[in-house]
Amino acid sequence: MYEILRKHIEKQITLTDEEFDFVQFHFKSRKYKRHQFIIQEGEMVKYSYFIISGLTKLVYQEESGKSHIISFAMEDWWESDFNAFLTQQPASFSLECIEDTEVLYISLADYKTICSQSQKIALFFLEKAHFGNIAAQRRILSLLTSNAKARYEQLLKQYPSLFQRVPKSLLAAYLGVSRETLSRLAG
């Protein structure tokens, strides 16, 4: 399991065995069942999660009860309510498992420790944050400027495996359309 993390990190930087042992020491592992919450809205967010296996959804719940899927995260992705994690505020989002999911997780204190003691790891996380911001900006722009069909086609092109793993009702919620509209788009 830790080898998966090492391969992920080494897509961007090279680590010696000693450097990776230092990183690995600061992570713990946990398994979650399908429909289990990793983070619940209103709770303190103690960890950032690297997904080893499985699939999750990050959800914002309006007071009216309407849910908005902010993102999906699968193998080799990082997920958390990053604002709550980094500012140590209560979560605005819930993180729920769509499939049985195994993660490696790191606390904010351990995150700060490895970043302060390893310039390589600090750079790795900085690049991850940059790419996460780019993805978020692209998603916002897509929601603001693209019609439902274009958003559907973009998602299908970028993440075809999601269409095999995620129920249509969740894909529709992510795209901001009804299930019926999604069926028409897929047809």
Side-chain angles (χ1 to χ4, degrees):
M1 162 179 11
Y2 287 95
E3 274 307 305
I4 294 171
L5 176 63
R6 184 171 188 165
K7 285 179 186 175
H8 175 76
I9 293 170
E10 289 190 335
K11 288 177 186 175
Q12 290 178 255
I13 60 169
T14 303
L15 297 174
T16 65
D17 288 343
E18 182 179 280
E19 288 170 327
F20 184 71
D21 287 345
F22 172 71
V23 170
Q24 178 180 322
F25 174 78
H26 292 88
F27 280 84
K28 294 180 177 44
S29 67
R30 181 156 181 206
K31 293 180 180 182
Y32 294 90
K33 294 289 186 190
R34 181 176 182 226
H35 299 302
Q36 189 174 358
F37 285 91
I38 298 174
I39 298 171
Q40 287 194 292
E41 178 186 349
E43 293 181 348
M44 296 304 290
V45 178
K46 298 177 183 176
Y47 307 107
S48 179
Y49 301 90
F50 175 71
I51 300 179
I52 298 295
S53 64
L55 181 65
T56 65
K57 63 178 180 175
L58 191 66
V59 179
Y60 176 76
Q61 185 87 22
E62 289 184 25
E63 286 184 26
S64 67
K66 184 175 181 181
S67 293
H68 301 277
I69 297 177
I70 306 304
S71 62
F72 296 107
M74 62 183 101
E75 296 84 4
D76 211 34
W77 290 15
W78 294 85
E79 191 62 278
S80 191
D81 180 332
F82 289 108
N83 179 57
F85 172 68
L86 293 169
T87 63
Q88 292 297 279
Q89 299 293 315
S92 299
F93 306 115
S94 295
L95 182 60
E96 183 181 357
C97 298
I98 297 172
E99 300 172 351
D100 289 352
T101 300
E102 186 172 8
V103 299
L104 291 174
Y105 62 94
I106 187 167
S107 70
L108 184 59
D110 283 333
Y111 168 82
K112 287 180 177 183
T113 296
I114 65 174
C115 286
S116 69
Q117 295 185 24
S118 170
Q119 185 177 4
K120 285 182 179 181
I121 292 298
L123 179 60
F124 166 78
F125 279 119
L126 179 62
E127 287 184 14
K128 283 291 165 189
H130 287 166
F131 288 122
N133 284 331
I134 290 167
Q137 287 176 347
R138 286 182 178 159
R139 175 149 159 74
I140 291 167
L141 189 59
S142 175
L143 288 169
L144 293 173
T145 63
S146 300
N147 63 31
K149 180 128 180 95
R151 291 193 309 271
Y152 171 83
E153 289 171 353
Q154 181 182 10
L155 184 65
L156 181 60
K157 181 180 176 183
Q158 196 168 12
Y159 304 111
S161 68
L162 278 179
F163 288 78
Q164 308 304 315
R165 298 172 71 179
V166 176
K168 285 186 173 36
S169 59
L170 297 182
L171 287 172
Y174 177 78
L175 292 168
V177 300
S178 68
R179 186 153 193 270
E180 294 77 19
T181 299
L182 179 65
S183 292
R184 281 195 303 276
L185 295 172

